[in-house]
Amino acid sequence: MRFNAKDLALLARRPSGCFDKEGKLKICRVVRDEKLIEPRERWCRLKGNLLFLMKNKSSEASEVVILERCWVVEFRSKTDVSIVLKFQSGEPDLYLEAASKPDCESWAVALGEANSEGLQNKIQHLRRLIMEIKEERSSDEARQFLPSSQVDSLGEPQFTSIQRIANEPKLEFSLACKDLVAATRDRKLNTFIQVSVVHPAEHILTRYSSTEIVEGTRDPLFLTGVTFPPEYPIYEETKIKLTVYDVRDKSQDTVRTSVLPDHKDPRADAGRSFLGCATFRVGDLVKSKEQQLILTLRTSDGGKTVGTIEVNLVKMGELEDGETDHITTDAQDQKCALVRECRATEGISGKDNLPSLNAVLKNPICKLYRFPTSDNKWMRIREQMAETTLSFHVPKELINLHIKEDMRRNQELKDLGELAPHWDNMRKSVIAHCDQMLSMYQDTLAELGKHTGSSFKSSCSKGEKTLEFIPINLHLQRMHVHSPRLKDALYDVITVGAPAAHFQGFKNGGLRKLLSKFEAERRNTGYQCIYYSPENTAKAKEVLSNINHLQPLISSHADLLLNSASQHSPDSLKNSLKMLSEKTELFVHAFKDQLVRSALLALYTARPGCVLKKPAVPRNSAEEEGDLQHQDHPPQVKRQDSIPHHSEYDEEEWDRVWANVGKSLNCVIAMVDRLLEKDNISNTKESENDPSAADCKVLHTGGDWYEQLYPLVITLKDCMGEVVTRAKQSMAFVLLQELACGLPQCLMLTLRRDIVFSQALAGLVCGFIIKLHTSLHDQGFLQQLHTVGLLVQYEGLLSTYSEEAGMLEDMAVGISDLQKVMFKVIEAKSEDFLPIITGRREHYVIEVQLPAKMFELLPQEIKEGKLLRMYPVLFNVGINEQQTLAERFGDTTLQENINQENLELLKEYYKLFTEKMPPDCLPHFQEQNDLKGLLENLHQNIQAKKRKNVEIMWLAATICRKLNGVRFTCCKSAKDRTSMSVTLEQCSILRDEHQLHKDFFIRALDCMRSRQTQGALNESDDPETGCLTDNKPTSRHFYPVALLLVSSHLLVVWLILSLALLLAKYQ
């Protein structure tokens, strides 16, 4: 940006009254991670978006600050008189300190309103005031001429609303033109229609949308429709303006239809020319008998007729008459607000289904098409894409669980008791690192709590640290198809960026490689700590979780038992004893593992003094740590030989302590049986002799029951407490070894895994809820859900080259970790339908809440709280130019291994499905041989190792749909590759399942991929903000590949130059 220095100096010297604000401030620049320099006093003058800094009031301006793309941070404390200007460009912050708090506040307001955004807000405010004044004047004038009886009823403008089905768009219509007049006779018109809305209350023309371009005809029939969402303020009095343009040069006329001023026609050099326009009232269209309007197109001066335009009211549930022979091309997009749910069937309506679904979906965008079928009939397609509130809700819930789990673990490490100096120093180091990580989680949760605005993370934010737990571009992509002879159908795909730790980077690979490398390094650290395999550390976490869960339950059931004894209630006593027995048996079973015994022995050797009564040899030779303890324990004991031995360790003591719990429970059971038996005998005798004496006996024996059971219950609690203390310490010691062996890599890998898992889980929860809602009336699916589980198929489009290989490794581990997630459906007790997450890192339960009417439709097994299993599978095929390089000069082993591993998981699910489900449970695909053939075909394609074998993706997606699974499509950012894949899949479904005319497959595909139809977008808008993208890669992707295909020598040269640039970058 260039400035005229003389003009700026002249502006700075103008009289005081010419400035918006001026005064003394102490100012300095603040560079991140550097100390604050002592502020210097300056005379500051604010004019528009320019802040002049001068040494004194009469001196020249020493600096000019442009107040654009910046924001003001005001400190809220009563004593603080400073503010900070932060710049989006990354320039050092500007620290400003005023003389008083009122002065500081006035500067904060002035600086906040100084930029162009503040000016726009002022303009909008003034416009609203003008409109209010106009309405007041028109109302006053009307009151002067209306009779007094009508004046009382004249208040706010009353408009006639359009009556539509709940949860359906208010208005939808299709467009066609006839007999258009071209500027020259030989000219073949390429036309599109721009749709604008005139709101009756404001009388302002608002651009709403535009159609696709139809080429080479004067009678264009547009395959796109116009949709107005349920909450859109459209009434019968609303006017809609239709403007027809002729596109001369399609390459110059892409999205510019949306950025022209409303009151101006396009310039001739914009690549198109104005043909004509027409206007109609919505009420005229809705009330017309044929539900059709034929309007005359006229030039801007209203004199010349240039053709006609046909407007047809559209209802998704009704068939459209007419043949399709004269259709010429493409289709369009539109905006729609509330997502249309599945067809209402018996027992429940879309209105009942709406609140719980809208709790997780928001800001949907809708595109309306009409395509011809093979028998020349019309089918209508409504394509919707919606954000989900779960993008932020699930990560925040998950981080909160991580914080609680880590705080509990840190406390358990502190409760280990006295340790030898070597182990004590190790514990202090581990706790210090864990506290730092815990603080990071807490800061991240606090930052996410401050987030406002969009409910999804765009791809340009994938490198932000505060948003690293949030999935990228998580959306629901839904296609609702209404065919003339087939049942309406919904096809859902969840689109999301590959779950990966983008902020941490991929210089050293992704989780798959890092975890393998870390595990190998841990095995070689036996001289510092005791090695426990990942299975053993997972078992230790499970034992600790069981302790924390079962101990309070057992204590509460024991108290209930004593309460029943004091009330002398035999039935209640039996029930309390039954619950106490079940929980205690689970408690005892949790410690029936060699790991606890060997960990107790290892913990004893870490005490300040120890003598082993028996050799430190684990009894279970099958355990992986057995051999290592032969190596590790003797050095530890030998290192502590200088410490006086003051105790001896008896390995059999743990067996005795552990067995005491079972013995104490047996004593309680025996005592209850004896008391109940005596009570039965006593009641029989007393009832035969004197009934009134039996009542007295009840009061006497009630105290006896309590007194006889109380010492036994206390003994049970004491024995259980001793077991808990020892088991907790031993398992905490195992976790100490896991952390100590790999600091700080262990914690960093845990963080990376948490980040990736958080992104994957948010998508899974969204997919499960959507699938449950749309299949609520499918009894076969519900039976499959609780009997077998839900298949979740991820389609990956990442290459195995450069950073994307690391993303694929992260994604593979994150999706695999979803196997430890279980779902549970519960009845909602309030209006909050967001899911509830419980559990720990090794096991999570997601509780999905449904309204009472929907909950009643579920099978009894699900209503009783049965946990529902997930079976996630990932198939990846790189399709971009980077994958070409990987296949020719790199390595595709990672992709091949992932596909092979997940094929085995898919076969396992299919095996369970065939074993547990009846053969006719799939309504659309009842032939089991069909699925067998698809699986065999998928197996052959994976084994073939063919380059860019997209047949793998199509087969996996088809199998998933046939098995009632949930479909995901992922690439780096869920934009270009993802949208191309989804649109291709949608058109293929229309062709194979709904008889799309074969000649219109490419046209339908172009319609769904067209960016021309995004009438509400500007050229600079990010397509992630809610609209489908233009899926054609930009030229910067095409030109290098086109050149490289000319010669293999050029390819080699290009690779050498790329390597040189990479080396220079990382040096």
Side-chain angles (χ1 to χ4, degrees):
M1 189 177 294
R2 296 181 180 180
F3 297 97
N4 190 315
K6 292 182 180 180
D7 290 343
L8 288 176
L10 182 63
L11 180 61
R13 291 196 299 268
R14 296 185 70 181
S16 297
C18 299
F19 295 97
D20 301 328
K21 186 172 180 60
E22 62 178 333
K24 288 184 179 180
L25 292 173
K26 291 184 178 180
I27 297 177
C28 71
R29 291 283 184 177
V30 182
V31 182
R32 189 175 295 179
D33 301 331
E34 292 186 9
K35 293 183 178 179
L36 181 67
I37 304 173
E38 185 66 27
R40 296 183 180 181
E41 189 175 87
R42 291 287 184 266
W43 185 263
C44 300
R45 286 182 164 178
L46 179 64
K47 181 63 176 177
N49 62 350
L50 300 177
L51 178 63
F52 296 95
L53 308 182
M54 313 162 68
K55 290 185 179 180
N56 53 62
K57 190 174 183 179
S58 59
S59 65
E60 297 287 340
S62 59
E63 185 179 356
V64 181
V65 180
I66 302 172
L67 302 176
E68 292 296 341
R69 300 185 66 188
C70 64
W71 67 94
V72 179
V73 178
E74 182 182 359
F75 299 97
R76 296 299 181 185
S77 62
K78 295 181 180 180
T79 58
D80 207 321
V81 292
S82 59
I83 55 178
V84 176
L85 277 175
K86 292 183 174 290
F87 298 88
Q88 293 183 10
S89 61
E91 296 180 26
D93 300 341
L94 188 64
Y95 175 83
L96 309 172
E97 184 178 323
S100 63
K101 187 63 178 178
D103 195 22
C104 176
E105 293 176 351
S106 65
W107 271 105
V109 172
L111 292 172
E113 297 177 350
N115 54 20
S116 57
E117 184 179 352
L119 184 60
Q120 290 175 0
N121 293 335
K122 284 184 179 179
I123 293 172
Q124 292 177 1
H125 176 66
L126 292 174
R127 282 178 175 172
R128 285 195 295 268
L129 291 178
I130 292 171
M131 291 301 300
E132 291 173 2
I133 293 172
K134 285 183 177 180
E135 290 174 2
E136 289 176 0
R137 285 182 178 177
S138 61
S139 178
D140 293 340
E141 291 173 358
R143 290 173 187 273
Q144 294 177 9
F145 297 100
L146 286 175
S148 58
S149 59
Q150 296 182 22
V151 169
D152 296 334
S153 62
L154 184 64
E156 292 295 324
Q158 298 296 321
F159 303 115
T160 308
S161 60
I162 301 173
Q163 299 297 326
R164 295 288 285 181
I165 302 172
N167 201 25
E168 284 283 344
K170 278 189 177 178
L171 179 68
E172 292 181 313
F173 57 85
S174 60
L175 299 169
C177 294
K178 288 185 179 181
D179 303 324
L180 296 179
V181 177
T184 60
R185 291 184 178 181
D186 298 333
R187 168 73 181 156
K188 288 188 176 181
L189 296 176
N190 302 324
T191 54
F192 73 91
I193 300 176
Q194 184 172 280
V195 182
S196 302
V197 178
V198 182
H199 296 283
E202 300 175 356
H203 301 288
I204 297 175
L205 188 67
T206 304
R207 183 156 302 134
Y208 187 73
S209 66
S210 61
T211 69
E212 82 280 8
I213 297 173
V214 178
E215 299 179 348
T217 178
R218 299 190 180 191
D219 299 320
L221 191 150
F222 299 95
L223 299 185
T224 59
V226 181
T227 303
F228 289 90
E231 71 276 9
Y232 192 86
I234 188 169
Y235 309 94
E236 290 186 7
E237 294 79 8
T238 303
K239 292 183 179 181
I240 295 178
K241 181 181 179 181
L242 306 174
T243 308
V244 182
Y245 293 100
D246 174 24
V247 179
R248 296 180 180 180
D249 186 354
K250 191 175 179 180
S251 63
Q252 296 181 17
D253 190 82
T254 54
V255 195
R256 293 193 181 93
T257 56
S258 64
V259 299
L260 291 171
D262 289 322
H263 61 280
K264 293 184 179 180
D265 291 336
R267 301 188 316 271
D269 59 0
R272 60 172 172 257
S273 62
F274 171 83
L275 286 182
C277 62
T279 304
F280 70 92
R281 288 177 69 255
V282 171
D284 296 339
L285 175 63
V286 174
K287 294 179 179 178
S288 62
K289 293 182 179 180
E290 297 82 6
Q291 296 188 336
Q292 179 188 79
L293 294 178
I294 298 178
L295 310 173
T296 301
L297 285 171
R298 297 185 180 276
T299 55
S300 56
D301 57 3
K304 184 180 178 182
T305 300
V306 294
T308 59
I309 184 167
E310 186 179 294
V311 184
N312 291 283
L313 191 65
V314 173
K315 295 181 180 179
M316 281 291 284
E318 296 180 2
L319 299 181
E320 184 173 351
D321 297 329
E323 298 299 324
T324 60
D325 296 337
H326 59 290
I327 299 175
T328 53
T329 187
D330 307 340
Q332 178 252 347
D333 89 324
Q334 218 48 35
K335 290 196 170 181
C336 172
L338 286 178
V339 173
R340 183 189 187 280
E341 227 348 85
C342 56
R343 300 180 313 280
T345 56
E346 65 282 354
I348 190 167
S349 65
K351 187 176 180 181
D352 298 321
N353 204 354
L354 185 60
S356 58
L357 193 61
N358 282 352
V360 297
L361 294 178
K362 63 184 297 187
N363 299 333
I365 305 242
C366 183
K367 301 174 73 175
L368 184 66
Y369 311 103
R370 53 177 178 175
F371 295 142
T373 61
S374 57
D375 55 356
N376 288 334
K377 297 295 183 180
W378 287 110
M379 64 174 167
R380 297 197 185 101
I381 297 93
R382 187 181 293 147
E383 185 185 32
Q384 297 172 324
M385 182 173 71
E387 305 169 16
T388 172
T389 56
L390 300 176
S391 292
F392 281 82
H393 173 75
V394 170
K396 287 194 287 187
E397 291 286 306
L398 206 56
I399 294 172
N400 194 32
L401 287 179
H402 293 333
I403 291 172
K404 293 179 180 178
E405 181 180 351
D406 291 348
M407 291 178 68
R408 189 164 52 244
R409 178 197 59 198
N410 290 357
Q411 187 59 45
E412 288 165 353
L413 292 177
K414 293 175 183 177
D415 294 341
L416 271 176
E418 189 178 3
L419 297 176
H422 168 73
W423 298 105
D424 192 48
N425 292 334
M426 183 182 293
R427 174 172 60 178
K428 291 178 181 178
S429 175
V430 167
I431 291 176
H433 280 86
C434 290
D435 286 341
Q436 291 179 4
M437 195 63 62
L438 182 61
S439 176
M440 192 280 297
Y441 280 102
Q442 291 170 335
D443 292 344
T444 301
L445 184 61
E447 289 297 324
L448 291 179
K450 300 176 184 177
H451 177 82
T452 57
S454 177
S455 59
F456 75 100
K457 183 176 79 171
S458 62
S459 63
C460 60
S461 304
K462 61 175 171 280
E464 292 186 18
K465 179 173 177 56
T466 55
L467 299 178
E468 57 185 346
F469 285 85
I470 310 300
I472 302 169
N473 276 339
L474 176 60
H475 288 88
L476 164 68
Q477 182 77 22
R478 166 170 290 180
M479 181 174 69
H480 173 209
V481 184
H482 174 72
S483 300
R485 292 187 175 87
L486 299 175
K487 186 181 293 185
D488 281 18
L490 290 179
Y491 299 93
D492 292 339
V493 178
I494 307 297
T495 60
V496 64
H502 292 276
F503 177 78
Q504 297 189 18
F506 309 95
K507 188 176 181 180
N508 299 316
L511 274 172
R512 192 177 172 106
K513 180 186 294 183
L514 292 173
L515 289 171
S516 177
K517 181 180 178 182
F518 173 73
E519 191 60 30
E521 291 176 351
R522 275 190 60 204
R523 293 175 180 271
N524 300 323
T525 57
Y527 63 92
Q528 294 177 346
C529 56
I530 302 170
Y531 173 77
Y532 289 95
S533 67
E535 293 76 14
N536 283 334
T537 54
K539 180 66 178 177
K541 294 174 184 177
E542 182 182 353
V543 170
L544 286 172
S545 176
N546 289 334
I547 291 173
N548 295 324
H549 175 67
L550 292 175
Q551 186 183 12
L553 287 178
I554 294 173
S555 297
S556 63
H557 288 310
D559 293 338
L560 288 175
L561 182 72
L562 290 177
N563 186 44
S564 301
S566 63
Q567 296 177 0
H568 197 271
S569 173
D571 293 336
S572 177
L573 192 67
K574 290 178 182 178
N575 293 332
S576 300
L577 180 63
K578 180 182 178 181
M579 297 299 297
L580 178 64
S581 301
E582 291 176 356
K583 298 302 178 184
T584 306
E585 287 175 5
L586 290 174
F587 179 83
V588 172
H589 182 73
F591 304 112
K592 195 174 183 179
D593 196 283
Q594 178 64 25
L595 177 63
V596 180
R597 182 181 289 103
S598 62
L600 280 169
L601 176 58
L603 175 61
Y604 176 76
T605 63
R607 298 296 186 192
C610 68
V611 171
L612 299 182
K613 203 168 185 179
K614 295 181 179 180
V617 180
R619 300 181 187 180
N620 188 359
S621 59
E623 290 292 333
E624 193 171 349
E625 73 270 16
D627 296 335
L628 289 166
Q629 286 185 3
H630 282 289
Q631 303 169 11
D632 293 335
H633 287 184
Q636 299 298 330
V637 178
K638 186 175 182 179
R639 185 164 55 243
Q640 297 167 4
D641 278 345
S642 58
I643 301 174
H645 301 155
H646 54 76
S647 62
E648 292 185 354
Y649 178 72
D650 186 359
E651 282 190 84
E652 296 179 356
E653 183 180 1
W654 166 248
D655 294 331
R656 291 192 293 270
V657 171
W658 174 61
N660 284 343
V661 176
K663 294 178 180 178
S664 300
L665 177 64
N666 292 334
C667 292
V668 172
I669 294 173
M671 179 57 70
V672 170
D673 291 342
R674 191 179 307 120
L675 292 174
L676 292 175
E677 184 179 356
K678 289 182 178 179
D679 182 68
N680 290 334
I681 297 173
S682 175
N683 287 340
T684 301
K685 292 181 178 179
E686 293 294 336
S687 60
E688 291 176 356
N689 299 329
D690 186 3
S692 61
D695 297 334
C696 300
K697 184 69 176 177
V698 167
L699 298 175
H700 176 68
T701 57
D704 295 341
W705 280 18
Y706 182 85
E707 292 172 0
Q708 294 182 57
L709 279 175
Y710 181 77
L712 298 179
V713 171
I714 293 300
T715 303
L716 175 62
K717 287 185 175 181
D718 291 342
C719 293
M720 185 178 65
E722 188 174 359
V723 170
V724 166
T725 301
R726 298 192 181 206
K728 267 191 172 182
Q729 289 184 345
S730 64
M731 295 299 97
F733 189 72
V734 173
L735 299 185
L736 175 64
Q737 308 307 310
E738 179 198 25
L739 295 169
C741 286
L743 282 178
Q745 292 87 349
C746 178
L747 293 176
M748 293 307 297
L749 280 177
T750 301
L751 171 62
R752 189 183 188 104
R753 200 165 187 171
D754 288 346
I755 290 169
V756 175
F757 179 76
S758 172
Q759 297 177 24
L761 182 63
L764 176 65
V765 175
C766 176
F768 178 86
I769 292 176
I770 298 301
K771 184 65 177 179
L772 184 63
H773 279 75
T774 54
S775 304
L776 204 58
H777 300 279
D778 187 345
Q779 295 302 317
F781 167 76
L782 295 176
Q783 182 184 356
Q784 175 186 349
L785 184 61
H786 70 78
T787 306
V788 185
L790 181 64
L791 177 66
V792 185
Q793 186 254 326
Y794 288 81
E795 174 183 307
L797 303 171
L798 294 172
S799 69
T800 54
Y801 180 81
S802 187
E803 287 190 345
E804 289 198 10
M807 296 177 200
L808 181 57
E809 291 179 348
D810 276 0
M811 183 180 178
V813 174
I815 291 174
S816 176
D817 285 346
L818 294 177
Q819 297 179 37
K820 58 191 179 186
V821 177
M822 308 283 275
F823 280 83
K824 182 180 180 181
V825 184
I826 62 175
E827 183 178 352
K829 303 300 182 183
S830 66
E831 295 300 318
D832 183 8
F833 298 106
L834 289 174
I836 302 168
I837 306 177
T838 58
R840 53 186 173 81
R841 282 187 175 91
E842 303 301 324
H843 178 70
Y844 291 100
V845 176
I846 316 296
E847 296 181 353
V848 177
Q849 304 185 79
L850 289 183
K853 290 184 179 180
M854 298 175 64
F855 187 76
E856 289 301 319
L857 299 175
L858 298 173
Q860 191 62 33
E861 293 86 350
I862 297 180
K863 289 196 285 187
E864 290 175 354
K866 183 175 181 179
L867 295 180
L868 311 174
R869 289 197 61 186
M870 300 294 109
Y871 291 86
V873 293
L874 165 65
F875 294 96
N876 186 86
V877 176
I879 60 172
N880 62 355
E881 62 272 17
Q882 289 188 341
Q883 184 62 22
T884 303
L885 297 176
E887 290 173 345
R888 289 182 178 274
F889 305 101
D891 185 14
T892 60
T893 306
L894 172 64
Q895 177 177 284
E896 294 166 3
N897 291 341
I898 289 175
N899 290 342
Q900 185 61 47
E901 292 167 6
N902 286 273
L903 175 63
E904 299 303 320
L905 294 175
L906 184 58
K907 288 181 177 178
E908 179 185 343
Y909 179 84
Y910 175 70
K911 182 181 178 182
L912 286 173
F913 178 84
T914 54
E915 291 175 352
K916 296 185 178 181
M917 294 294 293
D920 59 344
C921 63
L922 294 176
H924 300 295
F925 311 96
Q926 298 181 3
E927 296 183 7
Q928 296 300 317
N929 293 331
D930 188 15
L931 276 172
K932 288 181 180 178
L934 287 171
L935 280 169
E936 183 60 32
N937 197 359
L938 178 61
H939 175 77
Q940 292 174 1
N941 276 275
I942 291 176
Q943 294 296 324
K945 299 181 181 180
K946 179 183 174 182
R947 291 179 180 176
K948 294 188 179 180
N949 190 0
V950 293
E951 188 71 14
I952 293 175
M953 314 312 301
W954 175 246
L955 289 168
T958 304
I959 293 171
C960 176
R961 285 195 298 271
K962 291 188 175 186
L963 289 173
N964 289 325
V966 178
R967 286 267 298 112
F968 283 79
T969 300
C970 312
C971 67
K972 181 179 180 179
S973 302
K975 293 198 300 182
D976 295 343
R977 280 171 280 178
T978 296
S979 55
M980 291 190 76
S981 173
V982 170
T983 50
L984 177 61
E985 179 181 353
Q986 289 179 167
C987 288
S988 299
I989 291 172
L990 293 177
R991 178 193 61 196
D992 299 339
E993 305 294 336
H994 298 276
Q995 302 174 4
L996 173 66
H997 197 291
K998 62 180 181 179
D999 294 338
F1000 285 84
F1001 180 84
I1002 298 300
R1003 294 185 184 180
L1005 191 61
D1006 289 341
C1007 288
M1008 291 185 174
R1009 292 178 175 178
S1010 173
R1011 190 171 182 176
Q1012 164 67 23
T1013 59
Q1014 296 179 5
L1017 281 181
N1018 292 332
E1019 275 186 299
S1020 59
D1021 286 345
D1022 189 341
E1024 298 163 20
T1025 57
C1027 296
L1028 295 179
T1029 63
D1030 178 9
N1031 299 286
K1032 298 176 182 178
T1034 55
S1035 59
R1036 69 173 182 270
H1037 296 304
F1038 272 138
Y1039 290 143
V1041 178
L1043 290 173
L1044 295 177
L1045 292 177
V1046 174
S1047 170
S1048 59
H1049 299 291
L1050 285 176
L1051 181 57
V1052 174
V1053 172
W1054 183 79
L1055 284 173
I1056 294 173
L1057 291 175
S1058 299
L1059 289 173
L1061 288 172
L1062 286 173
L1063 290 173
K1065 180 180 178 181
Y1066 289 107
Q1067 280 181 353

